[in-house]
Amino acid sequence: MSSDLDSTHVPVLIVGGGVVGLSAALFLNHHGIRTTLIEKHSGTSIHPRARSVNARTMEIYRELNLVPAIIEAGKSMAPTMGLISGHTFHSAISPRPRHIKAQRSLPFASLTSTMGPVPGQFISLEMLEPVLLSAAKDRGIDAQFSTECLSISQSEEKVTAKVKKRDLGEEYEITADYCIAADGANSPIRTQLQIPRSGASESESSGHLLNILFTAPLGDFVKDREFSILTIHHPSTSPLDRAIDGIFTSINNSDRWVFHLSYSPSNGETASDFPKERCAEIITTALGFQESGAENENANMKVEILSILPWQASVRIASRMQEGRIFLAGDAAHQMPPYAGQGANTGIADAHNLAWKLAVVLKSNPSSKTKTKAKTNTSLTSPRSPPTPSSKYSVRDTFLKTYQAERLPINTHAAAVSASSADSKGLLSMKLNTRTIISVVKRMFLIAGLSVWYTGPGVGIIPEDPGVLRGASWRAWSFAGLVMGLDGRPGRRAPHVWLERRGAGRMVGEGGGVSTLDLFGRDFVLLTGSGGREWIQAAEKVSSNLSGVDIKAYVIGGDEEGDYVPVDGKSAFETAAGISSSGVLLVRSDGFVAWRERRIPVGYEDRLEEVMRRLLCLE
């Protein structure tokens, strides 16, 4: 490959082609930012890990028009639901009656269904990643597999990566304005940057397990009594046998399954003590068909081991997520047990949070190396033209510090809740006690991914004074507002309200429905009530003074053609957002409320400009 700067320089280099890296590439592509993604393996993962994406992640993928493809890819997991336990697979499943049911939903879906436009989805990563890779290729993203990052360095102007084509043995350099390290829990980039991690050490207390992917014809046996997680404790039957503690998880509810086997280093066991042959014997015993004495075709079924992946149910959090121009995302930044469903979802949220911020900085400074001779993908949103003399403000790297300030506390909390769900062996705790009950309650607020709240020093949010009543009088009397906090407060995901659009004197409903969330994705957005039309011109004026930053504005509930009107009544949005008819929400392109004004103030244009300067770290 040529060493010419123009052919090897990209605005953003992404190291890691898993779910987080692929998502980051798609998010940046959505903002019109060119990337190169490199992954040392020859293709996407073949080993199941995370098995669902939550409602918030599906909202994010909705921005990319990927929801139908994800639902199709995960349809074999649609019946998956339920936590059960037993001495064997057979003894746990056989007493359960068969029930023919429609597609099941993720936990707490009935409570969260009114809070967003799309529910969470059961889908394992080895099913999801090909969907993302296919979308990346269709959208012209440069994804290079069998390409390893050997080392990385940075200066004040750029990041330089030394990479190797593993199939060809060719080594060369790629330079970039920024780098996203999504290279996994054992991240070589994090190690090279000497970023320490807090949390459990390599000890028995964190739980050591083998993720064993196997095939067995169990589909007919579990049909109409599918499960999500089946915890097994099979006691030792002789001094020569070991007890079997583990978890079965469904993959396609037919012939592909995973068994997470607990093993004990403190008893001298290592992962190498469990070759495929021994794992097949252990799983056969844990299935329990032979032991049951039942005379059926399952008694002598063949168990074939496809792959074995050692892992620890531990918590490890990187002390920082940014080092100069390099950013950690996903497992490279945080590792946690899977039982609250947060591992992949928090990583995808990292990428989504970072992508729009990188896009703002890169578009605001078009004189940087982001301008290359590479072919432009015509499907991308074109960056703004270089700033004219009237443009006052360009967003600088200081703005990117809000990434760590926002995501690190969220990830730390998610990891703590995930850890509280695991027992000392690293398995999902099924004991009914105070600790388990508290853990379940905490998980309820995490599972949907909708209760995230960016608050504290350094975040890209303008805090508000809620008054003596702590904003209670503003809050919508709904589950979303009272319990989940989706009430228009700054730092929360903007409230979801179904909309129709006025057109030619009549209401126009759009296919599949339009959510307030569908108005976000690329720019800052002002949403004002039915009497706040003055904000439209204010947004245009302030936006014209910002290089690379646009502010779109919509009147919700207005009477003019083109206005969006809530399906549930003209003032439904104002109620959900906690504003009057002249109030406003300023929503970031990631869908989070950056600022709220309950009613239009005197000097509202100056106030909006002041808010934008503070949000973009221009002061």
Side-chain angles (χ1 to χ4, degrees), residues 428-496:
L428 177 64
S429 178
M430 300 287 282
K431 292 182 179 179
L432 186 60
N433 52 34
T434 302
R435 180 176 182 269
T436 301
I437 293 172
I438 293 173
S439 174
V440 169
V441 172
K442 289 181 177 179
R443 283 180 359 230
M444 183 185 76
F445 289 95
L446 281 182
I447 284 178
L450 300 175
S451 59
V452 171
W453 189 3
Y454 295 141
T455 185
V459 301
I461 301 295
I462 305 299
E464 64 182 6
D465 181 4
V468 176
L469 298 178
R470 308 303 298 170
S473 61
W474 312 349
R475 204 162 298 165
W477 286 75
S478 64
F479 184 82
L482 293 176
V483 179
M484 301 300 287
L486 301 176
D487 53 9
R489 271 180 287 177
R492 300 280 193 172
R493 196 267 271 149
H496 153 73

Coordinates of all heavy atoms in Angstrom, one line a residue, residues 428-496:
L428 N -25.2 -16.7 37.4 CA -26.3 -15.8 37.8 C -26.9 -16.3 39.2 O -27.2 -17.5 39.3 CB -27.4 -15.9 36.8 CG -28.7 -15.1 37.1 CD1 -28.4 -13.6 37.2 CD2 -29.7 -15.4 36.0
S429 N -27.0 -15.4 40.1 CA -27.5 -15.8 41.4 C -29.0 -16.0 41.4 O -29.7 -15.1 41.0 CB -27.1 -14.7 42.5 OG -27.7 -15.0 43.7
M430 N -29.4 -17.2 41.8 CA -30.8 -17.5 41.7 C -31.4 -17.7 43.1 O -32.6 -18.0 43.3 CB -31.0 -18.9 41.0 CG -30.5 -18.9 39.6 SD -31.6 -17.9 38.5 CE -33.0 -19.1 38.2
K431 N -30.6 -17.4 44.2 CA -31.1 -17.5 45.5 C -32.1 -16.3 45.9 O -31.8 -15.2 45.5 CB -30.0 -17.5 46.5 CG -29.1 -18.8 46.5 CD -28.0 -18.7 47.5 CE -27.2 -20.0 47.4 NZ -26.1 -20.0 48.4
L432 N -33.2 -16.6 46.5 CA -34.1 -15.6 46.8 C -33.7 -15.0 48.2 O -34.1 -15.5 49.2 CB -35.6 -16.1 46.9 CG -36.7 -15.1 47.1 CD1 -36.7 -14.0 46.0 CD2 -38.0 -15.8 47.2
N433 N -33.0 -13.9 48.2 CA -32.6 -13.2 49.4 C -32.6 -11.7 49.1 O -32.9 -11.2 48.0 CB -31.2 -13.7 49.8 CG -30.2 -13.6 48.7 OD1 -30.2 -12.7 47.9 ND2 -29.2 -14.6 48.7
T434 N -32.3 -11.0 50.2 CA -32.3 -9.5 50.1 C -31.4 -9.0 49.0 O -31.7 -8.1 48.2 CB -31.9 -8.9 51.4 OG1 -32.8 -9.3 52.4 CG2 -32.0 -7.3 51.3
R435 N -30.2 -9.6 48.9 CA -29.2 -9.1 47.9 C -29.8 -9.3 46.5 O -29.6 -8.5 45.6 CB -27.9 -9.9 48.0 CG -26.8 -9.6 47.0 CD -25.5 -10.3 47.4 NE -24.5 -10.0 46.5 CZ -24.2 -10.6 45.3 NH1 -25.0 -11.6 45.0 NH2 -23.2 -10.3 44.6
T436 N -30.4 -10.5 46.2 CA -31.0 -10.8 44.9 C -32.1 -9.8 44.6 O -32.2 -9.3 43.4 CB -31.4 -12.2 44.8 OG1 -30.3 -13.1 45.1 CG2 -32.0 -12.5 43.4
I437 N -33.0 -9.6 45.5 CA -34.1 -8.7 45.3 C -33.6 -7.3 45.0 O -34.1 -6.6 44.0 CB -35.0 -8.6 46.5 CG1 -35.7 -10.0 46.7 CG2 -36.1 -7.5 46.4 CD1 -36.5 -10.1 48.0
I438 N -32.6 -6.8 45.7 CA -32.1 -5.4 45.4 C -31.5 -5.4 44.0 O -31.6 -4.4 43.3 CB -31.1 -5.0 46.5 CG1 -31.8 -4.8 47.8 CG2 -30.3 -3.8 46.1 CD1 -30.8 -4.6 49.0
S439 N -30.8 -6.5 43.7 CA -30.1 -6.6 42.4 C -31.2 -6.5 41.3 O -31.0 -5.8 40.2 CB -29.3 -7.9 42.3 OG -28.8 -8.0 41.0
V440 N -32.3 -7.3 41.5 CA -33.4 -7.3 40.4 C -33.9 -5.9 40.3 O -34.2 -5.4 39.1 CB -34.5 -8.3 40.8 CG1 -35.7 -8.1 39.9 CG2 -33.9 -9.7 40.7
V441 N -34.2 -5.2 41.4 CA -34.7 -3.8 41.3 C -33.8 -2.9 40.5 O -34.2 -2.1 39.6 CB -35.0 -3.3 42.7 CG1 -35.4 -1.8 42.6 CG2 -36.1 -4.1 43.3
K442 N -32.5 -3.0 40.8 CA -31.5 -2.1 40.1 C -31.5 -2.5 38.6 O -31.3 -1.6 37.8 CB -30.1 -2.3 40.8 CG -30.0 -1.7 42.1 CD -28.6 -1.8 42.7 CE -28.5 -1.1 44.0 NZ -27.1 -1.3 44.6
R443 N -31.5 -3.8 38.3 CA -31.5 -4.2 36.9 C -32.7 -3.7 36.2 O -32.6 -3.5 35.0 CB -31.4 -5.7 36.9 CG -30.0 -6.2 37.2 CD -29.7 -7.7 37.1 NE -30.8 -8.6 36.8 CZ -31.0 -9.7 37.6 NH1 -30.4 -9.9 38.7 NH2 -32.0 -10.5 37.2
M444 N -33.8 -3.6 36.8 CA -35.0 -3.1 36.1 C -34.8 -1.8 35.5 O -35.3 -1.5 34.4 CB -36.2 -3.0 37.1 CG -37.5 -2.6 36.5 SD -38.8 -2.4 37.7 CE -38.4 -0.8 38.4
F445 N -34.0 -0.9 36.2 CA -33.8 0.4 35.6 C -32.7 0.4 34.6 O -32.5 1.4 33.8 CB -33.4 1.4 36.8 CG -34.5 1.7 37.7 CD1 -34.7 1.0 38.8 CD2 -35.4 2.7 37.3 CE1 -35.8 1.3 39.7 CE2 -36.5 3.0 38.2 CZ -36.7 2.3 39.3
L446 N -31.9 -0.7 34.5 CA -30.8 -0.7 33.5 C -31.2 -1.5 32.2 O -30.7 -1.1 31.1 CB -29.6 -1.4 34.1 CG -28.7 -0.6 35.0 CD1 -27.6 -1.5 35.5 CD2 -28.2 0.6 34.4
I447 N -32.1 -2.5 32.4 CA -32.2 -3.4 31.3 C -32.7 -2.8 30.0 O -32.2 -3.1 28.9 CB -33.2 -4.6 31.7 CG1 -32.5 -5.5 32.6 CG2 -33.8 -5.3 30.5 CD1 -33.4 -6.7 33.1
A448 N -33.6 -1.8 30.1 CA -34.1 -1.2 28.8 C -33.1 -0.1 28.3 O -33.2 0.3 27.2 CB -35.4 -0.5 29.1
G449 N -32.2 0.3 29.2 CA -31.2 1.3 28.7 C -31.7 2.7 28.6 O -31.0 3.6 28.0
L450 N -32.9 3.0 29.2 CA -33.5 4.2 29.0 C -33.4 5.2 30.2 O -33.7 6.4 30.1 CB -35.0 4.0 28.8 CG -35.4 3.2 27.6 CD1 -36.9 3.0 27.5 CD2 -34.9 3.9 26.3
S451 N -32.8 4.7 31.3 CA -32.8 5.5 32.5 C -31.4 6.2 32.7 O -31.1 6.6 33.8 CB -33.1 4.7 33.8 OG -32.2 3.6 33.9
V452 N -30.6 6.2 31.7 CA -29.3 6.9 31.8 C -29.5 8.4 32.1 O -30.3 9.0 31.5 CB -28.5 6.7 30.4 CG1 -27.2 7.5 30.4 CG2 -28.2 5.2 30.3
W453 N -28.6 8.9 32.9 CA -28.7 10.3 33.3 C -27.3 10.9 33.3 O -26.5 10.5 34.2 CB -29.4 10.5 34.7 CG -29.7 11.9 35.0 CD1 -29.5 13.0 34.2 CD2 -30.3 12.4 36.2 NE1 -29.9 14.2 34.9 CE2 -30.4 13.8 36.1 CE3 -30.7 11.8 37.4 CZ2 -30.9 14.6 37.1 CZ3 -31.2 12.6 38.4 CH2 -31.3 14.0 38.3
Y454 N -27.0 11.7 32.4 CA -25.7 12.4 32.4 C -25.7 13.6 33.3 O -26.5 14.6 33.0 CB -25.3 12.8 31.0 CG -25.1 11.7 30.0 CD1 -25.5 11.8 28.7 CD2 -24.5 10.5 30.4 CE1 -25.3 10.7 27.8 CE2 -24.3 9.5 29.5 CZ -24.7 9.6 28.2 OH -24.5 8.6 27.3
T455 N -25.0 13.5 34.4 CA -24.9 14.6 35.3 C -23.6 14.7 36.0 O -22.8 13.7 36.0 CB -26.0 14.4 36.4 OG1 -26.1 15.5 37.3 CG2 -25.8 13.1 37.2
G456 N -23.3 15.8 36.6 CA -22.0 16.0 37.3 C -21.0 16.8 36.5 O -21.3 17.4 35.4
P457 N -19.8 17.0 37.1 CA -18.8 17.9 36.4 C -18.4 17.5 35.1 O -18.2 16.3 34.8 CB -17.6 17.9 37.4 CG -18.2 17.3 38.7 CD -19.3 16.4 38.3
G458 N -18.3 18.4 34.1 CA -17.7 18.1 32.8 C -18.6 17.6 31.8 O -18.2 17.3 30.7
V459 N -19.9 17.3 32.1 CA -20.8 16.7 31.1 C -21.3 17.8 30.2 O -21.3 19.0 30.5 CB -22.0 16.0 31.8 CG1 -21.5 14.9 32.7 CG2 -22.9 17.0 32.6
G460 N -21.7 17.4 29.0 CA -22.3 18.3 28.0 C -23.7 18.6 28.2 O -24.6 18.4 27.3
I461 N -24.1 19.1 29.4 CA -25.5 19.3 29.8 C -25.5 20.7 30.6 O -24.6 21.0 31.3 CB -26.0 18.2 30.7 CG1 -25.9 16.9 30.0 CG2 -27.4 18.5 31.2 CD1 -26.8 16.7 28.8
I462 N -26.6 21.4 30.4 CA -26.8 22.7 31.1 C -27.8 22.3 32.3 O -29.0 22.0 32.0 CB -27.4 23.8 30.3 CG1 -26.5 24.0 29.1 CG2 -27.6 25.0 31.1 CD1 -25.1 24.5 29.4
P463 N -27.3 22.2 33.5 CA -28.2 21.9 34.6 C -29.2 23.0 34.9 O -29.1 24.1 34.5 CB -27.3 21.7 35.8 CG -26.1 22.6 35.5 CD -25.9 22.5 34.0
E464 N -30.3 22.5 35.5 CA -31.4 23.5 35.8 C -31.7 23.5 37.3 O -31.4 22.5 38.0 CB -32.7 23.2 35.0 CG -33.3 21.8 35.4 CD -34.5 21.5 34.5 OE1 -34.8 22.3 33.6 OE2 -35.2 20.5 34.8
D465 N -32.3 24.5 37.7 CA -32.8 24.6 39.1 C -34.2 24.1 39.2 O -35.1 24.7 38.7 CB -32.7 26.1 39.6 CG -33.2 26.2 41.1 OD1 -33.5 25.2 41.7 OD2 -33.2 27.4 41.5
P466 N -34.4 22.9 39.8 CA -35.8 22.4 39.8 C -36.7 23.0 40.8 O -37.9 22.7 40.8 CB -35.5 20.9 40.2 CG -34.3 21.0 41.0 CD -33.4 22.1 40.5
G467 N -36.2 23.9 41.7 CA -37.1 24.6 42.6 C -37.3 23.8 43.9 O -36.8 22.7 44.1
V468 N -38.1 24.3 44.7 CA -38.4 23.7 46.0 C -39.1 22.3 45.9 O -38.8 21.4 46.6 CB -39.3 24.6 46.9 CG1 -39.7 23.9 48.2 CG2 -38.7 26.0 47.1
L469 N -39.9 22.2 44.9 CA -40.6 20.9 44.7 C -39.8 19.9 43.8 O -40.3 18.9 43.5 CB -42.0 21.2 44.0 CG -43.0 22.0 44.8 CD1 -44.2 22.3 44.0 CD2 -43.3 21.4 46.1
R470 N -38.5 20.3 43.5 CA -37.7 19.4 42.8 C -38.3 19.0 41.4 O -38.1 17.9 40.9 CB -37.4 18.1 43.5 CG -36.8 18.3 44.9 CD -35.6 19.2 45.0 NE -34.5 18.5 44.2 CZ -33.3 19.1 43.9 NH1 -33.1 20.4 44.3 NH2 -32.4 18.5 43.3
G471 N -39.0 20.0 40.8 CA -39.6 19.8 39.5 C -40.8 18.9 39.5 O -41.2 18.5 38.4
A472 N -41.3 18.5 40.6 CA -42.5 17.6 40.6 C -43.7 18.1 39.9 O -44.4 17.4 39.3 CB -42.8 17.3 42.1
S473 N -43.9 19.4 39.9 CA -45.1 20.0 39.3 C -44.9 20.0 37.8 O -45.9 20.3 37.1 CB -45.3 21.4 39.8 OG -44.2 22.3 39.5
W474 N -43.7 19.8 37.3 CA -43.5 19.8 35.8 C -43.6 18.4 35.2 O -43.7 18.3 34.0 CB -42.1 20.3 35.5 CG -41.6 21.5 36.1 CD1 -42.4 22.4 36.9 CD2 -40.3 22.0 36.2 NE1 -41.6 23.4 37.3 CE2 -40.3 23.2 36.9 CE3 -39.1 21.6 35.6 CZ2 -39.1 24.0 37.1 CZ3 -37.9 22.4 35.8 CH2 -38.0 23.5 36.6
R475 N -43.6 17.4 36.1 CA -43.4 16.1 35.6 C -44.7 15.4 35.1 O -45.7 15.5 35.8 CB -42.8 15.2 36.8 CG -42.0 14.0 36.3 CD -41.1 13.5 37.4 NE -40.1 14.6 37.8 CZ -39.4 14.5 38.9 NH1 -39.6 13.6 39.8 NH2 -38.5 15.5 39.1
A476 N -44.6 14.7 34.0 CA -45.8 14.0 33.5 C -46.1 12.8 34.5 O -45.2 12.1 34.9 CB -45.5 13.5 32.1
W477 N -47.4 12.6 34.7 CA -47.8 11.6 35.6 C -48.0 10.3 34.8 O -49.0 9.8 34.4 CB -49.1 11.9 36.3 CG -48.9 12.9 37.4 CD1 -48.7 14.3 37.2 CD2 -48.9 12.7 38.8 NE1 -48.5 14.9 38.4 CE2 -48.6 13.9 39.4 CE3 -49.1 11.6 39.6 CZ2 -48.5 14.0 40.8 CZ3 -49.0 11.7 40.9 CH2 -48.7 12.9 41.5
S478 N -46.8 9.7 34.5 CA -46.7 8.5 33.7 C -45.6 7.7 34.2 O -44.7 8.2 35.0 CB -46.5 8.8 32.2 OG -45.2 9.5 32.0
F479 N -45.5 6.4 33.8 CA -44.4 5.6 34.3 C -43.1 6.1 33.7 O -42.1 6.2 34.5 CB -44.6 4.1 33.7 CG -43.5 3.2 34.2 CD1 -43.6 2.6 35.4 CD2 -42.5 2.9 33.4 CE1 -42.6 1.7 35.9 CE2 -41.5 2.0 33.8 CZ -41.6 1.4 35.0
A480 N -43.1 6.6 32.5 CA -41.9 7.2 31.9 C -41.4 8.4 32.7 O -40.2 8.5 33.0 CB -42.1 7.6 30.5
G481 N -42.3 9.3 33.1 CA -41.9 10.5 33.8 C -41.6 10.3 35.3 O -40.6 10.7 35.8
L482 N -42.5 9.6 36.0 CA -42.4 9.5 37.4 C -41.4 8.4 37.9 O -40.7 8.6 38.9 CB -43.8 9.1 38.0 CG -44.9 10.2 37.9 CD1 -46.2 9.7 38.4 CD2 -44.4 11.5 38.6
V483 N -41.2 7.3 37.1 CA -40.4 6.2 37.5 C -39.0 6.3 36.8 O -38.0 6.2 37.4 CB -41.1 4.9 37.4 CG1 -40.1 3.7 37.8 CG2 -42.4 4.8 38.2
M484 N -39.1 6.4 35.5 CA -37.9 6.2 34.7 C -37.2 7.6 34.5 O -36.0 7.6 34.0 CB -38.2 5.6 33.4 CG -38.8 4.2 33.5 SD -37.7 3.0 34.3 CE -36.5 2.7 33.1
G485 N -37.8 8.7 34.8 CA -37.1 10.0 34.7 C -37.1 10.5 33.3 O -36.3 11.5 33.0
L486 N -37.9 10.0 32.4 CA -37.9 10.5 31.0 C -38.9 11.6 30.9 O -39.9 11.5 30.3 CB -38.2 9.4 30.0 CG -37.2 8.2 30.0 CD1 -37.7 7.1 29.1 CD2 -35.8 8.7 29.7
D487 N -38.6 12.7 31.5 CA -39.5 13.8 31.7 C -39.0 15.2 31.2 O -39.5 16.2 31.6 CB -39.9 13.9 33.2 CG -38.6 14.1 34.1 OD1 -37.5 14.3 33.5 OD2 -38.7 14.0 35.3
G488 N -38.0 15.1 30.3 CA -37.5 16.4 29.7 C -36.4 17.0 30.5 O -35.8 18.0 30.1
R489 N -36.0 16.4 31.6 CA -34.9 16.9 32.4 C -33.6 16.9 31.6 O -33.3 15.9 30.9 CB -34.7 16.1 33.7 CG -35.5 16.6 34.8 CD -35.2 15.8 36.1 NE -35.8 14.5 36.0 CZ -35.7 13.5 36.9 NH1 -34.9 13.8 38.0 NH2 -36.3 12.4 36.8
P490 N -32.7 17.9 31.7 CA -31.4 17.9 31.0 C -30.6 16.7 31.5 O -30.6 16.4 32.7 CB -30.8 19.2 31.4 CG -32.0 20.1 31.7 CD -33.0 19.3 32.3
G491 N -30.0 16.0 30.6 CA -29.2 14.9 30.9 C -29.9 13.6 30.7 O -29.2 12.5 30.7
R492 N -31.2 13.6 30.5 CA -32.0 12.4 30.2 C -32.3 12.3 28.7 O -32.3 13.3 28.0 CB -33.3 12.5 31.0 CG -33.2 12.6 32.5 CD -32.9 11.2 33.1 NE -33.1 11.3 34.5 CZ -33.1 10.2 35.3 NH1 -32.9 9.0 34.8 NH2 -33.2 10.3 36.6
R493 N -32.5 11.0 28.3 CA -33.0 10.9 26.9 C -34.3 11.6 26.7 O -35.2 11.6 27.6 CB -33.2 9.4 26.6 CG -33.3 9.1 25.1 CD -34.7 9.0 24.7 NE -35.3 7.7 24.8 CZ -36.5 7.4 25.0 NH1 -37.4 8.4 25.2 NH2 -37.0 6.2 25.1
A494 N -34.4 12.3 25.6 CA -35.6 13.1 25.3 C -36.9 12.2 25.4 O -36.8 11.0 25.0 CB -35.5 13.8 24.0
P495 N -38.0 12.7 25.8 CA -39.2 11.9 25.9 C -39.7 11.5 24.5 O -39.6 12.3 23.6 CB -40.2 12.8 26.6 CG -39.7 14.2 26.5 CD -38.2 14.1 26.4
H496 N -40.3 10.3 24.4 CA -40.9 9.8 23.2 C -42.3 10.1 23.1 O -43.1 9.8 24.1 CB -40.7 8.3 23.1 CG -41.7 7.6 22.3 ND1 -41.7 7.6 21.0 CD2 -42.7 6.8 22.7 CE1 -42.7 6.9 20.5 NE2 -43.4 6.4 21.6

